[in-house]
Amino acid sequence: RDAGFGDERRLSEGVVRVSFAIEPTDASVAAMHDRERVAAARSVQRLLAPASVAVIGAGRERDNIGQAVLRSLLDGGFTGAVYPVHTSAHAVAGVRAYPTVLDIPDPVDLAVVAVPAASVAEVVEQCGAKGVGGLVVLSAGFSDAGPEGAVRERSVVERARGLGMRMVGPNCMGVVNTAPDVSMNATFAPITLRPGRVGFSSQSGALGMAILDELGRRGLGVSTFVSFGNKADVSSNDMIQYWEADDATDVVLLYLESFGNPRVFSRVARRVARQKPIVAVKSGRRDTAEVAVEALFRQAGVIRVDTLEQLFDVALALSTQPLPAGRRVGVVGNAGGPVRLAVDALEGAGLVVQSMRHLPADASAADYEAAVSASLADAEVDAVLTSFVPPLHEQTAEVAAAVGRAAAASSSPAKPVLANFLVAHPVDDVPSYLFPEAAALALARLVERAEWLARAEGVVPEVDGVDVVGARMLVDALLADWRAPDGWMEAGDAAKLLGCFGIAVGEAGEGVATTVSVVQHQSFGPVIRFGIGGAVGELVDDNPARILPLTDVDAAELVRSPRLAPLLFGWRGAPPVDAAALEDLLVRVSTLVEDVPQVAEAVLDPVVASPDGAVVAGARVRLAPYTPRPELALRRLR
């Protein structure tokens, strides 16, 4: 917000020189992000749509991973040329082989590498010399094998980038592109994937085969599939930006174990989720970063589910159904037990059961068509969940077809229809789930998606009364002569720093005690939290979080997110507090931490909110030297 080449001013009795870098304008940042998006999409395109593939390490034995990839490419009908590479074999699986990639007489776009870890570096050099566009490294023995392997992995990635190549892996199971003009299964999974409009990436190579098998069992077609493995180079950030521009992909599915660059993920996902739904499973809910992960997903509009099964359930609904206009659900069923379970699950997910149509146990397909049609015609119903227990197995297809006809004939606006058919095989015509709870959860995620899209995007506000130069001078002076080993500022200095951002510390009147805190997370950057203070707040321990920078919409939502938030808005006849003052305070704290990154932690407690405003009655601020994170900078892509 402020820029300069050097500013020398007097502070107390000494002279302090403060140097500032010129901060980029909004236009330059937007241009930089656009270049990043285009470069990432283009580099991934080279990996997923090659005209030729070399399989390096394709062995003679059928149980060899390299040969398995070769056979997958051949059996899957890859439209390009395939070249096995083996040090001594003349042919592999009936296809002429070459000693090295350099011996292949034609250009090679993609190399799938399945050699021992110790040989990968040499192969990378050869691929660079050959002019290969991208690498998929299946080999294990890198960061998955400990510190020594991690060093080897970094070296391989740096060399690949230096030679102008992007790399998927290592320790992955490969990539898939079902587009008719590519038809590439470059994995060692002997599975034929159904073409479709779902893009899927998995960080786990071990889970990859089971994931692909389940996709086929569910009848979910995929556009592209990428197994990241150790995710040393190409990451979910790259893939999301590829899918953003991919006309063949409507829904994005992610299985994540870690974030390479959470702040980039947040920015990219927030943009892409406005166009295409992103559904994610993130393992490790017991991690200390869980609060930040939840905040990141919520702000970015990523639909989070708890299990891979739920991931497929939600994907099925998103890929086949329109979004509902509200939370009101009509339920149709022919058996009391499943209907009651569906109602419980819907209400437990925050949806409203608006109507229930009970059909006899021997209800016909015509009965279901009429009941579903009536529910869809009800102006008070936004979505329909139908449950069917077949008295005879052969009736299931007839009922499914009838429900599908009712949904297709429904007048505008379109309403989603999800089914709970108690049969263990996929059902055509309508998205079907074996158990009612699964259908209810999938419908709830559709509602959440619709509500997030209806939410304003928000902007990062520019606040008045801010003295960034003075704040930086104060912090630089304190850090230059720092005597507090734990980094906590004296109360007076903390008040001065807050004052530079228009945050006054003083005596409170009557009101509701709240707390505002912010901490610099090593991976996620600054994370801000808000909650109700005092004894009640300590008992409930409910302080929702958001990732910075904070938009005006984020601030408004954060004030209303704690379970005890009704205390701020007229609970039991009490006068509502000035919520706008709390929102302004959150934005100012966000601005402070963004503009002065040496602020490692800040705790404002209590912040007393009343109808007249919000007063900070107590404040603690901890400083720490700021170390730039070059690994979080944009990659330079050729």
Side-chain angles (χ1 to χ4, degrees), residues 345-413:
L346 289 167
E347 293 178 341
L351 305 186
V352 177
V353 177
Q354 189 70 21
S355 68
M356 296 178 59
R357 299 178 187 272
H358 295 279
L359 299 177
D362 59 350
S364 66
D367 294 331
Y368 265 89
E369 186 169 358
V372 172
S373 295
S375 290
L376 288 170
D378 186 347
E380 300 298 314
V381 168
D382 302 308
V384 172
L385 191 157
T386 182
S387 177
F388 176 62
V389 179
L392 296 174
H393 181 73
E394 56 269 17
Q395 284 185 298
T396 302
E398 297 175 8
V399 171
V403 173
R405 286 194 300 272
S410 176
S411 59
S412 182

Side-chain angles (χ1 to χ4, degrees), residues 187-258:
T187 75
F188 48 83
I191 295 173
T192 301
L193 284 177
R194 174 179 174 180
R197 305 193 62 80
V198 174
F200 194 6
S201 68
S202 170
Q203 192 170 343
S204 171
L207 286 172
M209 194 171 295
I211 287 171
L212 294 180
D213 184 61
E214 182 65 10
L215 283 168
R217 193 188 73 78
R218 296 273 189 133
L220 276 171
V222 300
S223 57
T224 44
F225 170 84
V226 176
S227 167
F228 291 130
N230 294 358
K231 202 167 64 171
D233 180 28
V234 174
S235 69
S236 50
N237 296 341
D238 299 303
M239 288 308 306
I240 292 171
Q241 294 183 97
Y242 168 79
W243 284 317
E244 177 183 15
D246 182 26
D247 293 335
T249 300
D250 293 333
V251 179
V252 172
L253 306 183
L254 307 174
Y255 171 75
L256 301 170
E257 294 176 351
S258 64

Side-chain angles (χ1 to χ4, degrees), residues 257-487:
E257 294 176 351
S258 64
F259 295 96
N261 188 329
R263 302 199 81 185
V264 172
F265 179 92
S266 177
R267 169 171 50 78
V268 169
R270 192 187 295 229
R271 181 184 72 233
V272 177
R274 288 279 167 186
Q275 307 170 48
K276 302 178 181 183
I278 302 173
V279 191
V281 174
K282 168 66 174 67
S283 61
R285 279 192 176 270
R286 296 180 63 184
D287 292 350
T288 56
E290 173 58 24
V291 169
V293 171
E294 190 66 32
L296 184 154
F297 282 156
R298 183 180 298 276
Q299 287 172 268
V302 174
I303 302 169
R304 187 178 192 180
V305 293
D306 295 323
T307 66
L308 287 171
E309 184 175 15
Q310 291 176 4
L311 187 76
F312 300 129
D313 289 342
V314 175
L316 181 61
L318 285 167
S319 61
T320 61
Q321 297 299 298
L323 295 178
R327 290 179 166 258
R328 302 168 300 179
V329 183
V331 178
V332 176
N334 70 335
V339 167
R340 285 191 290 271
L341 288 172
V343 169
D344 288 346
L346 289 167
E347 293 178 341
L351 305 186
V352 177
V353 177
Q354 189 70 21
S355 68
M356 296 178 59
R357 299 178 187 272
H358 295 279
L359 299 177
D362 59 350
S364 66
D367 294 331
Y368 265 89
E369 186 169 358
V372 172
S373 295
S375 290
L376 288 170
D378 186 347
E380 300 298 314
V381 168
D382 302 308
V384 172
L385 191 157
T386 182
S387 177
F388 176 62
V389 179
L392 296 174
H393 181 73
E394 56 269 17
Q395 284 185 298
T396 302
E398 297 175 8
V399 171
V403 173
R405 286 194 300 272
S410 176
S411 59
S412 182
K415 299 177 181 180
V417 178
L418 277 66
N420 158 226
F421 289 172
L422 273 76
V423 292
H425 56 80
V427 175
D428 294 329
D429 301 300
V430 64
S432 173
Y433 304 86
L434 181 58
F435 298 112
E437 297 92 338
L441 181 142
L443 182 54
R445 295 298 183 267
L446 290 184
V447 171
E448 291 172 10
R449 164 98 180 134
E451 291 178 345
W452 186 82
L453 286 174
R455 164 190 185 268
E457 290 190 51
V459 296
V460 178
E462 289 286 343
V463 295
D464 56 8
V466 171
D467 180 10
V468 178
V469 172
R472 289 173 173 170
M473 290 177 62
L474 172 63
V475 167
D476 285 346
L478 290 172
L479 288 175
D481 187 27
W482 199 238
R483 298 177 182 177
D486 57 2

